[in-house]
Amino acid sequence: TFQTNILTELKNWELNLIQHHKLQMRQEKEKHATQVKQLQNELENLKELLHTYEISISRKDEVITNLTKALEKQKERVVLMRKFTLWRIQHVKAKQEEYAMRMADRHFQTALMKKVWAAWRSVTEERWKDKVARACQLRAEDVCIQLTNDYEAKIAELTATLEQTKAEILRLHSERDQYEDTMKKAFMRGVCALNLEAMTMFQSK
C-alpha cells in the first residue's frame, strides 16, 4: 500500500544515508592517514636535517678549537722568540760594556806606563850617559809600538765580532716579523676556510 511504500522509501533513504556517511568516514580516515603519513615523513626529514646540522656544528667547533690551539702555539713561539732576541741584545750590550771597561783599563795602564817612563827617563838622564838613555828610549818605544799594534789588532777583531752580532740581531728581527706575518696569514686562511665551509653547507641545504 501507500504507507508501506513510504516506509520502504524511508528505509532505503536511511540506508543510503548510512552508506554515504560510512563512505565519508572512510574517506576522512584515509585522508587523515595520508596527512599523518606526510607529517611523519616531514618529521623524519626534519630529524635528518637536524642531525646534519649537529654534525656541521660539531665540525665547526672542532675547526675553531684547532685554530685556537694553533694560534696559542704561534703566540707562545712569538713570545719565546721575543725573549730570546732581548736576551741576545742584552748579551751583546754586556760584551760591549766589558770591552769598553777593558779598553779604559788598558788606556789607563798605558798612560801610567808613559808617566813612569817619563819620570824614569828624567832620572836616568841625570845619572847615565846619553847613549844608555837613547837605547832605553828606543826599547821602550818598540814595546809601546808592539802594544799599540796588538791593541789595534784586538780592536779590529772585536769590531768585526760586533758587526756580526748586529747582523745576527737584524736577522732575528726579520725572522720574527716574517714569523708573525706568516701566523697572521695562516689565521686568516683558517677563518676564510671556515666561512667557506659554512657557506657551502648552508647552500647545499
Side-chain angles (χ1 to χ4, degrees):
T1 63
F2 179 74
Q3 184 176 1
T4 304
N5 292 332
I6 292 175
L7 291 175
T8 303
E9 186 68 23
L10 288 174
K11 188 174 182 180
N12 291 332
W13 181 78
E14 182 180 2
L15 290 175
N16 291 331
L17 182 64
I18 292 172
Q19 289 179 354
H20 179 70
H21 180 69
K22 287 182 179 180
L23 178 62
Q24 287 184 341
M25 288 296 294
R26 183 168 63 254
Q27 290 177 350
E28 289 296 329
K29 286 182 180 180
E30 292 177 352
K31 183 178 179 181
H32 177 69
T34 302
Q35 291 178 352
V36 169
K37 188 175 181 180
Q38 289 178 353
L39 291 175
Q40 288 178 349
N41 291 333
E42 291 179 0
L43 181 61
E44 292 296 327
N45 293 331
L46 290 174
K47 286 182 179 180
E48 292 180 358
L49 182 61
L50 178 61
H51 181 65
T52 302
Y53 283 157
E54 289 176 351
I55 294 175
S56 176
I57 293 172
S58 176
R59 289 178 179 176
K60 291 178 182 178
D61 292 338
E62 184 178 356
V63 171
I64 293 173
T65 302
N66 293 333
L67 288 175
T68 303
K69 290 181 179 180
L71 183 59
E72 290 298 329
K73 289 182 179 180
Q74 296 290 346
K75 287 182 178 179
E76 292 177 358
R77 291 177 182 176
V78 171
V79 171
L80 291 176
M81 183 64 69
R82 187 174 299 169
K83 289 181 179 179
F84 177 72
T85 303
L86 291 175
W87 176 83
R88 288 294 299 271
I89 293 173
Q90 292 176 356
H91 184 64
V92 171
K93 287 183 178 179
K95 282 188 175 181
Q96 291 176 347
E97 291 177 357
E98 182 181 357
Y99 171 73
M101 291 294 293
R102 287 201 304 267
M103 292 301 298
D105 185 63
R106 290 180 181 179
H107 179 71
F108 174 76
Q109 293 294 334
T110 302
L112 182 61
M113 288 175 62
K114 288 181 179 179
K115 289 181 180 179
V116 171
W117 164 249
W120 179 78
R121 186 180 62 179
S122 64
V123 173
T124 54
E125 284 178 352
E126 296 176 359
R127 297 180 180 180
W128 300 93
K129 295 179 180 181
D130 293 339
K131 185 177 180 180
V132 176
R134 285 195 299 271
C136 291
Q137 183 178 0
L138 292 174
R139 177 60 180 169
E141 287 177 355
D142 291 337
V143 172
C144 290
I145 291 172
Q146 184 64 36
L147 289 175
T148 301
N149 292 333
D150 293 341
Y151 292 156
E152 288 178 353
K154 188 63 177 179
I155 289 171
E157 180 182 354
L158 292 174
T159 301
T161 303
L162 181 60
E163 291 298 326
Q164 292 178 357
T165 305
K166 288 181 179 180
E168 180 67 16
I169 291 174
L170 291 176
R171 185 183 66 80
L172 290 175
H173 278 295
S174 177
E175 288 181 357
R176 183 191 64 184
D177 294 339
Q178 292 178 359
Y179 199 76
E180 291 179 349
D181 187 62
T182 302
M183 179 189 68
K184 291 178 182 178
K185 290 181 178 178
F187 179 75
M188 291 302 297
R189 285 197 299 270
V191 173
C192 290
L194 179 62
N195 292 333
L196 182 61
E197 182 182 355
M199 290 178 61
T200 302
M201 186 161 298
F202 284 115
Q203 289 175 359
S204 65
K205 294 300 180 183

